[in-house]
Amino acid sequence: SKYEYVKGFESDDALPSGNWIVVRIQGRDFKEFADLHGFQKPNDERALQLMDECAKAILEENTDIVCAYGISDEYSFLIRRGAHQQASNELISATVSLFTSKYVMLWPKFFHDRELECAPAFDARAVCYPTETTVRDYLAWRQVDCHINNVNNTCFWKLREQGLNPSNAHKTLMGTRSSEKKELLSNDFRIDYNALPAKYRKGSLLVRKYLCIYFQPDQTIFHYHDFDVIGDDFWKEHSYILQKARFS
Amino acid sequence: SKYEYVKGFESDDALPSGNWIVVRIQGRDFKEFADLHGFQKPNDERALQLMDECAKAILEENTDIVCAYGISDEYSFLIRRGAHQQASNELISATVSLFTSKYVMLWPKFFHDRELECAPAFDARAVCYPTETTVRDYLAWRQVDCHINNVNNTCFWKLREQGLNPSNAHKTLMGTRSSEKKELLSNDFRIDYNALPAKYRKGSLLVRKYLCIYFQPDQTIFHYHDFDVIGDDFWKEHSYILQKARFS
Amino acid sequence: SKYEYVKGFESDDALPSGNWIVVRIQGRDFKEFADLHGFQKPNDERALQLMDECAKAILEENTDIVCAYGISDEYSFLIRRGAHQQASNELISATVSLFTSKYVMLWPKFFHDRELECAPAFDARAVCYPTETTVRDYLAWRQVDCHINNVNNTCFWKLREQGLNPSNAHKTLMGTRSSEKKELLSNDFRIDYNALPAKYRKGSLLVRKYLCIYFQPDQTIFHYHDFDVIGDDFWKEHSYILQKARFS
Amino acid sequence: SKYEYVKGFESDDALPSGNWIVVRIQGRDFKEFADLHGFQKPNDERALQLMDECAKAILEENTDIVCAYGISDEYSFLIRRGAHQQASNELISATVSLFTSKYVMLWPKFFHDRELECAPAFDARAVCYPTETTVRDYLAWRQVDCHINNVNNTCFWKLREQGLNPSNAHKTLMGTRSSEKKELLSNDFRIDYNALPAKYRKGSLLVRKYLCIYFQPDQTIFHYHDFDVIGDDFWKEHSYILQKARFS
Ligand SMILES: Nc1nc2c(ncn2[C@H]2C[C@H](O)[C@@H](COP(=O)(O)OP(=O)(O)OP(=O)(O)O)O2)c(=O)[nH]1
Ligand SMILES: Nc1nc2c(ncn2[C@H]2C[C@H](O)[C@@H](COP(=O)(O)OP(=O)(O)OP(=O)(O)O)O2)c(=O)[nH]1
Ligand SMILES: Nc1nc2c(ncn2[C@H]2C[C@H](O)[C@@H](COP(=O)(O)OP(=O)(O)OP(=O)(O)O)O2)c(=O)[nH]1
Ligand SMILES: Nc1nc2c(ncn2[C@H]2C[C@H](O)[C@@H](COP(=O)(O)OP(=O)(O)OP(=O)(O)O)O2)c(=O)[nH]1
Ligand SMILES: O=P(O)(O)OP(=O)(O)OP(=O)(O)O
Ligand SMILES: O=P(O)(O)OP(=O)(O)OP(=O)(O)O
Ligand SMILES: O=P(O)(O)OP(=O)(O)OP(=O)(O)O
Ligand SMILES: O=P(O)(O)OP(=O)(O)OP(=O)(O)O
Ligand SMILES: [Mg+2]
Ligand SMILES: [Mg+2]
Ligand SMILES: [Mg+2]
Ligand SMILES: [Mg+2]
Ligand SMILES: [Mg+2]
Ligand SMILES: [Mg+2]
Ligand SMILES: [Mg+2]
Ligand SMILES: [Mg+2]
Ligand SMILES: [Mg+2]
Ligand SMILES: [Mg+2]
Ligand SMILES: [Mg+2]
Ligand SMILES: [Mg+2]
């Protein structure tokens, strides 16, 4: 029709070639969502397992994703350098849409006794990282964040259990470092932070298994809970993860 | 942490100021999805009502949307010129995520007897239209598409009912115009195309009601089924829809 | 060759369709350049005429430019809505390159006795304006800036002539409004600001003449010195300038 | 002023972080320009030296440029990964403007007896390359192009000298490979292609010298004429060129 010219206003938002791409999705207003649905504090086992299972569905759908890292209400998907180039819009929207779809569909599997009382929603962004160093630093950034938040939240909710109101609990923690918070947990609550479940302390890592010789993507997904993407050891042992770039 | 510099790689994908913005979402592989879930052909009343109700939720959430137009597996949301500027990524992802969430949650309300057998997903894009003319041409483009597709699909499925296989049904229709298809419906099937439900022929329009004097957004949403956004009459009678731009 | 794939990394930076586009070029380090070449203060007649003549060359080259507005070391070129769409990169670079080329070539015509002692350079940007209102506000913005700067500079150099050092001249003017500065000129220096050459007070406007009936671009360029793009009168009398958009 | 809001329409076109950036400038309509100014065919020594000297001025101005490669009417500037990030617009426009300015100013130094008869202009683009491999492939692409064009042009002008008209000269060469063209030169014209000046066969490479220990940029620029950026040897011997990235 004579109106078709308006299609020409669509912009081609191709992501720059040859970069690693991270798609990060994260829950919108999940503080409220968690409260409304009685999430356990600071970590709700069911909520985290649900996130992991939705993320797995994304890896199954998009075989260019080499790994994914999740904490709290967020998940980051790492798309290998050299993957078939996609419009940013389409990549982001299709990823977040499928994730959300799965989240609602799988909800009853993890929250048996709880109705979904409002519609959960996520936002998404795509970020380009040009080198292995920046990709590793990205993952390290998220894992350091996981650590900082989890130490803090663990203390916060222990103080609240003890009877402090939110404002006083915040005041007690304000300005303290993670190491001091760990000591507080140990001294005041007899909690050895490092003995808490690794999943809460480290986040959740999904890695696609590759058939080593041909670098063919495979649908086997490994799930790590106790791992450290900040140091070098993990990357030495799993060097294949970042080896699948077409342009090296 | 020292890794925070990686946040700096996120690009600021602000949409150009002062344009009308259309967010269009549309189902991924909905041909397959429709078949799998036994959608009626060519139009499934339940599926269309479900789309409309999801779209309503989007208008309730984002009060900068002045109207929305839906056909088949797609919906377009029109955001008024001069609305608070948003990153394209966030706008697209939050919109498609909430739509999908609603789609899965509301599914049982419309498909009583049907389980959802796979996860529905949509993609989304944002397009800028600088003028009222281009906005109107956009909506006209979609409504003309609705007409062309619906005349064609109506014929196609009538021919199939009659026993033609897909390939022969296609051949029969190939190269014919919409007017010829309407005659075929009339002559061979005694169907007056214009008497079919307006909703299937025209698509579905949601319009936000405004308190006329102050142009305050309101949560009342009008739902139109028999309307024509291609000609001038509709826009004369509803001139307020496009009058809410900050820069005129 | 097998290396040609690298061409694929070039991004298509198309400007959004259907907007007015302003290309603004402006001199880099022109304070230094003006001092080095003994520009008269606050306005050097030769420098301004040189800018105007370079701008004229740009209008002759690119017939989609409807008008251009210059002050000090800058020039803005307004490209009509609906012009053949161009890559932003190419538009910006070709415009600024031709302008610079002309600036150096025409230098001796205006600065007879002065060698060019260093290479003048300009930067350029392209900005999209979706509506007539924003286009007019853009031009008004530049002309208001012209006024503010010129009143200020006129006072500043009068005070300097009188013997004040730069720091004291600045102090005297700091915090005063344009109207107060005009009074100072009148009271202390017997200068009627409004009687100074319009060109310095208003800037320089080039307008392409159009053959009225066919809206065919024409190579006749009008040159205005005493005009006001802030109020409505100019635009009423010259309504044809903004009437050449394909999408109205 | 109340019009300042229009500045908000300027888009922030930051180049993606952490990539190598190539700015390529190239002459507009240089076929015509070369003819008009009597450039020698296929290579004009003066024209090439002028290009080199303009490029040197760019390296002197922007110390983030590690090397530059020129052929015919084009020059590519390689900006090191990790350089201070710049708006694409500003980088492109300032580079091409200074280059053009120099071109006009230095013209009489190389073309003693020739007036500049029209204004030369260049366009420019910026392209991101994420890895050393893609950067090397970029330079290889340009050098292969140099070779292909130069072999072809050398043959073409020999055939023309011999009396063939343009159309017949083209026909003679059409479909032949570079190796066949070299044989034609050898057999028909007694020209050993490999003995022609390296500068015409290889292009022109400018490399910034670095103080090796501190990787401080330095204003010493090396100028290579006989070199091969396609193979590995050059890069082994000059590994420091690509070693100055902040993110490795
Ligand atoms: N109780 C509980 N809350 C959780 C859990 N995981 C995530 N949350 C909630 C608490 C956090 O405040 C919130 C994530 O923080 P965000 O910074 O993403 O805030 P929120 O999603 O509320 O706002 P946003 O829309 O992302 O700006 O999600 C959990 O396992 N248990
Ligand atoms: N039976 C039936 N099918 C429908 C209805 N509404 C939409 N569909 C299906 C049939 C169409 O082929 C499909 C929409 O066409 P598209 O061009 O969007 O194709 P599809 O979604 O399969 O692929 P895509 O991922 O969008 O490229 O959705 C309906 O009411 N009834
Ligand atoms: N004496 C004199 N100077 C002028 C004239 N026109 C422009 N200029 C100089 C003085 C101003 O400081 C300068 C323009 O101001 P800008 O804000 O553009 O500063 P400048 O170009 O130095 O720095 P930039 O690279 O643009 O950030 O140009 C003139 O007619 N006479
Ligand atoms: N005679 C002669 N011509 C040269 C020399 N260097 C460059 N040229 C001319 C001849 C080539 O056709 C032209 C470069 O080819 P391009 O593909 O860049 O074409 P041109 O600049 O004409 O068009 P464009 O505006 O870049 O699309 O420059 C030279 O040393 N001698
Ligand atoms: O913009 P495209 O090319 O993705 O086209 P589309 O309108 O999304 O259509 P399709 O359903 O073919 O992706
Ligand atoms: O939106 P926030 O504050 O949860 O955090 P963010 O999304 O990382 O920040 P931004 O939206 O500013 O990128
Ligand atoms: O990128 P394009 O299409 O402009 O191609 P180019 O490399 O600039 O070549 P041309 O000289 O044809 O503009
Ligand atoms: O660069 P300036 O400070 O002369 O002024 P500008 O170019 O208008 O500002 P910016 O470069 O920040 O857009
Ligand atoms: Mg959140
Ligand atoms: Mg979060
Ligand atoms: Mg598509
Ligand atoms: Mg679809
Ligand atoms: Mg569709
Ligand atoms: Mg955010
Ligand atoms: Mg300046
Ligand atoms: Mg200036
Ligand atoms: Mg080109
Ligand atoms: Mg050229
Ligand atoms: Mg060229
Ligand atoms: Mg600037």
Side-chain angles (χ1 to χ4, degrees):
Chain A
S1 74
K2 69 164 175 166
Y3 301 112
E4 270 173 54
Y5 79 94
V6 297
K7 170 103 179 139
F9 285 69
E10 295 183 12
S11 69
D12 161 35
D13 63 335
L15 290 160
S17 301
N19 283 258
W20 295 88
I21 295 164
V22 171
V23 175
R24 178 163 84 252
I25 64 118
Q26 70 99 11
R28 290 172 75 80
D29 297 323
F30 256 53
K31 189 169 177 7
E32 205 183 312
F33 184 84
D35 288 347
L36 188 62
H37 294 90
F39 281 19
Q40 260 146 37
K41 290 157 176 173
N43 292 292
D44 187 290
E45 185 62 32
R46 302 160 300 175
L48 294 176
Q49 284 182 11
L50 173 52
M51 291 291 288
D52 290 340
E53 192 138 333
C54 295
K56 241 177 247 173
I58 301 294
L59 271 94
E60 278 156 21
E61 176 81 9
N62 182 346
T63 54
D64 283 325
I65 298 174
V66 295
C67 65
Y69 177 67
I71 53 172
S72 180
D73 69 340
E74 78 172 50
Y75 239 101
S76 299
F77 300 93
L78 177 63
I79 297 171
R80 69 180 177 83
R81 173 143 71 196
H84 173 68
Q85 232 186 316
Q86 240 185 320
S88 174
N89 281 353
E90 193 171 353
L91 175 65
I92 286 170
S93 59
T95 304
V96 80
S97 181
L98 181 58
F99 193 97
T100 310
S101 203
K102 281 282 172 182
Y103 196 93
V104 179
M105 287 179 75
L106 294 170
W107 175 268
K109 176 175 168 191
F110 295 95
F111 289 84
H112 312 285
D113 43 344
R114 271 272 176 191
E115 289 274 308
L116 203 44
E117 290 177 42
C118 68
F122 298 82
D123 65 37
R125 69 196 73 191
V127 191
C128 295
Y129 291 103
T131 58
E132 289 198 15
T133 305
T134 50
V135 164
R136 282 189 44 183
D137 286 353
Y138 175 82
L139 292 168
W141 176 48
R142 299 322 301 139
Q143 197 170 34
V144 167
D145 241 39
C146 173
H147 175 70
I148 293 169
N149 291 340
N150 196 55
V151 172
N152 184 70
N153 293 345
T154 307
C155 283
F156 180 82
W157 290 110
K158 278 292 153 196
L159 293 169
R160 297 273 283 121
E161 272 177 27
Q162 231 191 11
L164 267 68
N165 64 22
S167 151
N168 284 333
H170 275 304
K171 266 188 213 144
T172 307
L173 297 174
M174 197 172 301
T176 61
R177 295 200 225 133
S178 285
S179 55
E180 294 162 340
K181 284 171 188 153
K182 282 178 173 185
E183 274 171 40
L184 182 145
L185 282 175
S186 166
N187 297 340
D188 293 16
F189 301 100
R190 303 286 125 205
I191 292 177
D192 176 7
Y193 181 78
N194 295 328
L196 294 177
K199 184 185 198 173
Y200 304 156
R201 292 180 292 111
K202 304 285 190 178
S204 202
L205 182 72
L206 302 177
V207 176
R208 181 183 305 284
K209 198 187 130 197
Y210 276 76
L211 299 179
C212 288
I213 312 174
Y214 304 111
F215 290 123
Q216 281 302 319
D218 186 293
Q219 287 301 34
T220 313
I221 313 288
F222 293 129
H223 193 169
Y224 295 82
H225 285 307
D226 199 351
F227 60 93
D228 173 8
V229 292
I230 302 164
D232 288 331
D233 293 353
F234 179 85
W235 295 106
K236 276 186 199 140
E237 281 163 41
H238 302 80
S239 58
Y240 71 95
I241 296 176
L242 300 182
Q243 259 164 19
K244 277 159 294 296
R246 191 176 311 156
F247 318 106
S248 56
Chain B
S1 74
K2 69 164 175 164
Y3 301 112
E4 270 174 53
Y5 80 94
V6 297
K7 170 103 177 137
F9 284 69
E10 295 182 12
S11 68
D12 162 34
D13 64 335
L15 291 160
S17 301
N19 283 259
W20 295 88
I21 295 163
V22 170
V23 175
R24 178 164 83 253
I25 64 119
Q26 71 99 10
R28 290 172 75 80
D29 296 322
F30 255 53
K31 191 171 175 7
E32 203 183 314
F33 183 84
D35 287 348
L36 188 61
H37 293 90
F39 280 20
Q40 260 146 38
K41 289 156 176 176
N43 293 292
D44 186 291
E45 186 63 33
R46 303 160 300 173
L48 294 176
Q49 285 182 10
L50 173 53
M51 291 292 287
D52 290 340
E53 192 139 332
C54 296
K56 242 177 246 172
I58 300 295
L59 270 95
E60 278 157 19
E61 176 81 8
N62 183 347
T63 55
D64 283 324
I65 299 173
V66 294
C67 67
Y69 178 67
I71 54 172
S72 180
D73 68 341
E74 77 173 50
Y75 238 102
S76 299
F77 301 93
L78 177 61
I79 298 171
R80 69 181 177 84
R81 174 144 68 196
H84 173 69
Q85 231 187 319
Q86 242 185 318
S88 175
N89 281 352
E90 193 170 354
L91 175 64
I92 287 170
S93 59
T95 303
V96 80
S97 180
L98 181 58
F99 193 97
T100 310
S101 203
K102 282 282 173 183
Y103 197 93
V104 179
M105 288 179 74
L106 294 170
W107 175 268
K109 177 173 166 191
F110 295 94
F111 288 85
H112 313 285
D113 44 344
R114 270 275 176 189
E115 288 275 308
L116 203 46
E117 290 178 43
C118 69
F122 298 82
D123 64 37
R125 70 195 74 192
V127 191
C128 294
Y129 290 102
T131 59
E132 289 196 15
T133 305
T134 49
V135 164
R136 281 189 46 184
D137 286 353
Y138 174 82
L139 292 168
W141 176 48
R142 299 323 301 141
Q143 196 170 35
V144 168
D145 241 38
C146 173
H147 174 70
I148 294 169
N149 292 339
N150 195 56
V151 172
N152 184 69
N153 293 344
T154 307
C155 284
F156 180 83
W157 289 110
K158 278 292 154 199
L159 293 169
R160 297 273 283 121
E161 273 176 26
Q162 233 191 8
L164 267 69
N165 64 22
S167 153
N168 284 333
H170 275 302
K171 265 187 215 146
T172 307
L173 297 173
M174 197 171 301
T176 61
R177 294 201 225 134
S178 286
S179 54
E180 295 161 339
K181 286 172 187 154
K182 282 177 174 186
E183 274 170 41
L184 181 146
L185 282 175
S186 167
N187 298 339
D188 292 17
F189 301 100
R190 302 287 125 203
I191 291 178
D192 175 6
Y193 181 77
N194 296 328
L196 293 178
K199 184 185 199 173
Y200 304 157
R201 291 180 293 113
K202 304 285 190 179
S204 202
L205 182 71
L206 302 177
V207 176
R208 181 183 304 285
K209 197 188 131 198
Y210 277 76
L211 301 179
C212 289
I213 313 173
Y214 304 111
F215 290 123
Q216 282 301 320
D218 187 292
Q219 288 301 34
T220 313
I221 313 287
F222 293 128
H223 193 167
Y224 296 81
H225 285 307
D226 198 351
F227 60 94
D228 172 6
V229 293
I230 301 164
D232 287 331
D233 293 353
F234 179 86
W235 296 106
K236 275 185 199 141
E237 282 163 40
H238 302 80
S239 59
Y240 72 94
I241 297 176
L242 299 183
Q243 260 165 18
K244 277 159 295 294
R246 192 176 310 156
F247 317 108
S248 57
Chain C
S1 74
K2 70 163 176 167
Y3 301 113
E4 270 173 55
Y5 80 93
V6 297
K7 170 103 178 135
F9 285 69
E10 295 183 12
S11 69
D12 161 35
D13 64 334
L15 290 160
S17 301
N19 283 258
W20 295 88
I21 294 163
V22 171
V23 175
R24 178 163 83 250
I25 64 117
Q26 71 99 10
R28 291 172 73 81
D29 296 323
F30 256 53
K31 188 167 178 7
E32 204 184 313
F33 183 84
D35 288 347
L36 188 62
H37 293 90
F39 280 19
Q40 260 147 36
K41 290 157 174 174
N43 293 292
D44 187 289
E45 186 63 32
R46 303 160 298 175
L48 294 176
Q49 285 182 11
L50 173 52
M51 291 291 288
D52 290 340
E53 193 138 332
C54 295
K56 241 176 249 173
I58 300 295
L59 271 94
E60 277 156 21
E61 177 81 9
N62 182 347
T63 55
D64 283 324
I65 298 174
V66 294
C67 66
Y69 178 67
I71 55 171
S72 181
D73 69 339
E74 78 173 49
Y75 239 101
S76 299
F77 300 93
L78 177 62
I79 298 170
R80 68 180 178 83
R81 173 144 68 195
H84 173 69
Q85 232 187 319
Q86 241 185 319
S88 175
N89 281 352
E90 193 170 354
L91 174 65
I92 286 170
S93 60
T95 303
V96 81
S97 180
L98 181 58
F99 194 97
T100 310
S101 203
K102 281 283 173 183
Y103 196 93
V104 178
M105 286 180 75
L106 294 170
W107 175 269
K109 177 175 168 190
F110 295 95
F111 288 85
H112 313 285
D113 43 345
R114 273 273 176 191
E115 289 275 307
L116 203 45
E117 291 178 42
C118 69
F122 297 81
D123 64 36
R125 70 195 72 191
V127 191
C128 295
Y129 291 103
T131 59
E132 289 197 16
T133 305
T134 50
V135 164
R136 281 190 46 182
D137 286 353
Y138 175 83
L139 292 168
W141 176 48
R142 300 322 300 141
Q143 196 170 35
V144 168
D145 241 38
C146 174
H147 175 69
I148 293 169
N149 292 339
N150 196 55
V151 173
N152 184 70
N153 293 345
T154 307
C155 284
F156 180 82
W157 289 110
K158 278 292 153 196
L159 293 169
R160 297 273 283 122
E161 272 177 26
Q162 231 191 12
L164 267 69
N165 64 23
S167 152
N168 284 333
H170 275 304
K171 267 188 212 143
T172 307
L173 298 173
M174 196 172 302
T176 60
R177 295 200 223 133
S178 286
S179 56
E180 294 162 339
K181 285 171 187 153
K182 281 177 173 187
E183 274 171 40
L184 181 145
L185 282 175
S186 167
N187 297 340
D188 294 15
F189 301 101
R190 303 287 124 202
I191 292 177
D192 175 8
Y193 181 78
N194 295 329
L196 293 179
K199 184 185 200 174
Y200 303 156
R201 292 181 292 113
K202 306 283 191 180
S204 203
L205 182 72
L206 303 176
V207 176
R208 180 184 306 284
K209 199 188 129 198
Y210 277 75
L211 299 179
C212 288
I213 313 173
Y214 304 111
F215 290 123
Q216 281 302 317
D218 186 293
Q219 287 302 32
T220 314
I221 313 287
F222 294 128
H223 192 168
Y224 296 81
H225 285 307
D226 199 352
F227 61 93
D228 172 7
V229 292
I230 302 164
D232 288 331
D233 292 353
F234 179 87
W235 296 106
K236 275 185 200 142
E237 281 163 41
H238 301 81
S239 59
Y240 72 94
I241 297 176
L242 300 183
Q243 260 164 19
K244 277 160 295 295
R246 190 173 313 155
F247 318 108
S248 56
Chain D
S1 74
K2 70 164 176 165
Y3 302 112
E4 271 172 55
Y5 80 93
V6 297
K7 169 102 178 137
F9 285 69
E10 294 182 11
S11 69
D12 161 36
D13 64 335
L15 290 160
S17 301
N19 282 258
W20 295 88
I21 294 163
V22 171
V23 175
R24 178 163 83 252
I25 65 119
Q26 72 97 13
R28 289 172 74 79
D29 296 322
F30 256 53
K31 189 168 176 11
E32 204 182 313
F33 184 84
D35 287 347
L36 188 62
H37 293 90
F39 281 21
Q40 261 146 37
K41 290 157 175 173
N43 293 291
D44 186 290
E45 185 64 32
R46 302 160 300 174
L48 294 176
Q49 284 182 11
L50 173 52
M51 291 291 287
D52 291 340
E53 192 139 332
C54 295
K56 241 177 247 172
I58 300 295
L59 271 93
E60 277 156 21
E61 177 81 8
N62 182 347
T63 55
D64 283 326
I65 298 173
V66 296
C67 66
Y69 177 68
I71 54 172
S72 179
D73 68 340
E74 78 172 51
Y75 239 102
S76 299
F77 301 94
L78 177 62
I79 298 171
R80 68 181 179 84
R81 174 143 68 195
H84 173 69
Q85 232 187 318
Q86 242 185 318
S88 175
N89 281 352
E90 193 171 354
L91 175 65
I92 286 170
S93 61
T95 303
V96 81
S97 180
L98 181 58
F99 193 97
T100 309
S101 202
K102 282 282 173 183
Y103 196 92
V104 179
M105 287 179 75
L106 294 170
W107 174 268
K109 178 174 167 190
F110 295 95
F111 288 84
H112 313 285
D113 45 344
R114 271 274 176 189
E115 288 274 307
L116 203 46
E117 290 178 43
C118 69
F122 298 82
D123 64 36
R125 70 195 73 192
V127 191
C128 294
Y129 291 102
T131 58
E132 290 197 15
T133 304
T134 50
V135 164
R136 282 189 46 184
D137 286 353
Y138 175 82
L139 292 168
W141 176 48
R142 300 321 302 138
Q143 197 169 35
V144 167
D145 241 37
C146 173
H147 175 69
I148 293 169
N149 291 340
N150 196 55
V151 172
N152 184 69
N153 293 345
T154 307
C155 284
F156 181 82
W157 290 110
K158 278 292 153 197
L159 293 169
R160 297 274 283 121
E161 272 176 27
Q162 233 189 8
L164 267 69
N165 64 23
S167 152
N168 285 332
H170 276 304
K171 266 188 213 145
T172 308
L173 297 174
M174 197 172 301
T176 61
R177 293 200 226 134
S178 285
S179 55
E180 295 161 338
K181 286 172 186 152
K182 282 177 174 186
E183 273 170 42
L184 181 146
L185 282 175
S186 167
N187 297 340
D188 292 16
F189 301 100
R190 302 288 126 204
I191 291 177
D192 175 6
Y193 181 76
N194 295 328
L196 293 177
K199 184 184 201 172
Y200 303 156
R201 292 180 291 112
K202 304 284 190 180
S204 202
L205 182 71
L206 302 176
V207 177
R208 182 183 304 285
K209 198 190 128 195
Y210 277 76
L211 300 179
C212 289
I213 312 174
Y214 304 111
F215 289 122
Q216 282 301 319
D218 186 293
Q219 287 302 34
T220 313
I221 312 287
F222 292 128
H223 192 166
Y224 295 82
H225 285 306
D226 198 351
F227 60 93
D228 173 6
V229 293
I230 301 164
D232 288 330
D233 293 353
F234 179 86
W235 295 106
K236 274 185 199 141
E237 281 163 41
H238 302 81
S239 59
Y240 73 94
I241 297 176
L242 299 183
Q243 260 164 19
K244 277 159 296 294
R246 191 175 310 155
F247 318 107
S248 55

